[in-house]
Amino acid sequence: MTDDVQALQKRLVAFAAARDWEQYHTPKNLVAALSVEAAELVEIFQWLTPEESARIMADPEAAHRVTDEVADVLAYLLQFCSVVDVDPLAALAAKIERNERRFPAPQRAGGPGEAPGPGLGPASGAGPASGAGPVSGGGR
C-alpha cells in the first residue's frame, strides 16, 4: 500500500482513538456509515441530467459538496479496511486483474477511435452501466 494511503489510515485511527470512538468502529457500523455517505454522494446527482452531472464541478458550491462526500466515503472505506485488515490498493489491483481476464476488451475492426459495433456498447448490457465495469465485475 502506498505511504499516502497508510498515512491517511493512521490519521483516521488516531482521530478515532483520541475521541474513544474505536468501540463504535466495528465492521458492521463502518460499512453502514460507508453506505450512508455513498448515498449522500448519489443524492447530489439524483435529479441532474447527464449533461448537468458532467458539469457539476464547475459550480463551486456543488463541487464543495461533491468533494466533501467523496472524502467521507473514502474515510469510511479506509477505516473499514483498517478494521478488517484489507489493503485497499492491493484489493483494487487484484480485482482489476481478474476483470481484465474475465472481460477482455473487444476487438474492433476499425481500430482505435471507431465506435463499437452492435452489442458492444453500454446499452447492450456489457458495459459499466450493467455492473460489469472495471471494478465492479458485475457484483462478483
Side-chain angles (χ1 to χ4, degrees):
M1 185 171 8
T2 68
D3 292 338
D4 291 342
V5 173
Q6 285 181 329
L8 289 170
Q9 282 183 302
K10 286 179 183 177
R11 282 182 68 187
L12 289 165
V13 167
F15 182 88
R19 290 152 183 84
D20 198 28
W21 290 351
E22 303 112 318
Q23 61 187 316
Y24 306 110
H25 286 190
T26 65
K28 178 193 81 67
N29 288 349
L30 289 169
V31 79
L34 174 60
S35 175
V36 169
E37 295 301 337
E40 289 178 6
L41 182 59
V42 170
E43 183 180 31
I44 296 168
F45 292 86
Q46 184 174 7
W47 300 113
L48 300 181
T49 65
E51 296 78 19
E52 289 168 336
S53 70
R55 295 188 309 265
I56 197 159
M57 298 308 280
D59 173 8
E61 183 179 328
H64 178 73
R65 289 177 57 215
V66 169
T67 301
D68 273 359
E69 294 307 333
V70 166
D72 289 343
V73 168
L74 184 57
Y76 278 118
L77 180 60
L78 292 178
Q79 289 172 317
F80 175 79
C81 287
S82 289
V83 168
V84 298
D85 197 28
V86 168
D87 178 335
L89 298 182
L92 176 57
K95 183 68 174 189
I96 292 170
E97 288 173 18
R98 276 195 313 276
N99 284 341
E100 286 171 340
R101 288 190 304 274
R102 289 180 61 211
F103 305 104
Q107 297 297 316
R108 298 182 184 204
E114 183 174 305
L120 297 179
S124 71
S130 69
V135 177
S136 69
R140 292 176 204 90

